[in-house]
Amino acid sequence: MVRQCFILFGCLALGEIIVSATGVKLPASIIGMLILTLLLKVKVVKLEWVRGLTDFLIANLGFFFVPPGVALMLYFDLIKAEIVPIALATLLSTIIVLLITGHTHQVVSKGEHKVRKKMHPKKQ
């Protein structure tokens, strides 16, 4: 459990260091998650090393949404006054995210297919 926490919080700390050193406009947690993904992908960190803690965090993910949900209640008047722009922005951003995600998936799938063809050419 200590190793799992060290790896996850170490990646988060590296994200914080990168943000403070470079001034990049991304949340440190996102950069830390990208670092963890890279370390897992290049097999520097094994999935088994972090699986227990990550499974626990995912199983209890709903718990982490309670404080922001409660905080929203403080702004019901503002939300009610601006419901149309909020709804339009939510709808438009959802559509854009779906389109970009679908396009990215297609590009990555085509690239993976080409790599597989080069690695395992059919014998003729």
Side-chain angles (χ1 to χ4, degrees), residues 17-35:
I17 291 168
I18 290 170
V19 167
S20 64
T22 64
V24 68
K25 300 292 183 197
L26 280 174
S29 58
I30 300 296
I31 294 175
M33 194 170 28
L34 291 171
I35 292 169

Side-chain angles (χ1 to χ4, degrees), residues 36-45:
L36 179 61
T37 303
L38 176 69
L39 293 175
L40 286 166
K41 196 74 172 162
V42 297
K43 309 262 191 252
V44 171
V45 173

Side-chain angles (χ1 to χ4, degrees), residues 24-109:
V24 68
K25 300 292 183 197
L26 280 174
S29 58
I30 300 296
I31 294 175
M33 194 170 28
L34 291 171
I35 292 169
L36 179 61
T37 303
L38 176 69
L39 293 175
L40 286 166
K41 196 74 172 162
V42 297
K43 309 262 191 252
V44 171
V45 173
K46 293 182 179 166
L47 183 58
E48 296 80 33
W49 294 355
V50 293
R51 181 171 297 239
L53 185 58
T54 55
D55 286 347
F56 170 78
L57 290 172
I58 290 171
N60 295 291
L61 189 62
F63 175 74
F64 297 109
F65 287 97
V66 171
V70 171
L72 275 176
M73 289 191 281
L74 298 172
Y75 300 100
F76 274 149
D77 292 337
L78 179 61
I79 293 170
K80 184 178 176 183
E82 300 293 332
I83 192 67
V84 172
I86 291 171
L88 288 175
T90 302
L91 181 64
L92 185 62
S93 64
T94 301
I95 291 169
I96 291 170
V97 166
L98 286 172
L99 290 172
I100 291 174
T101 302
H103 180 71
T104 303
H105 176 71
Q106 288 178 343
V107 169
V108 170
S109 293

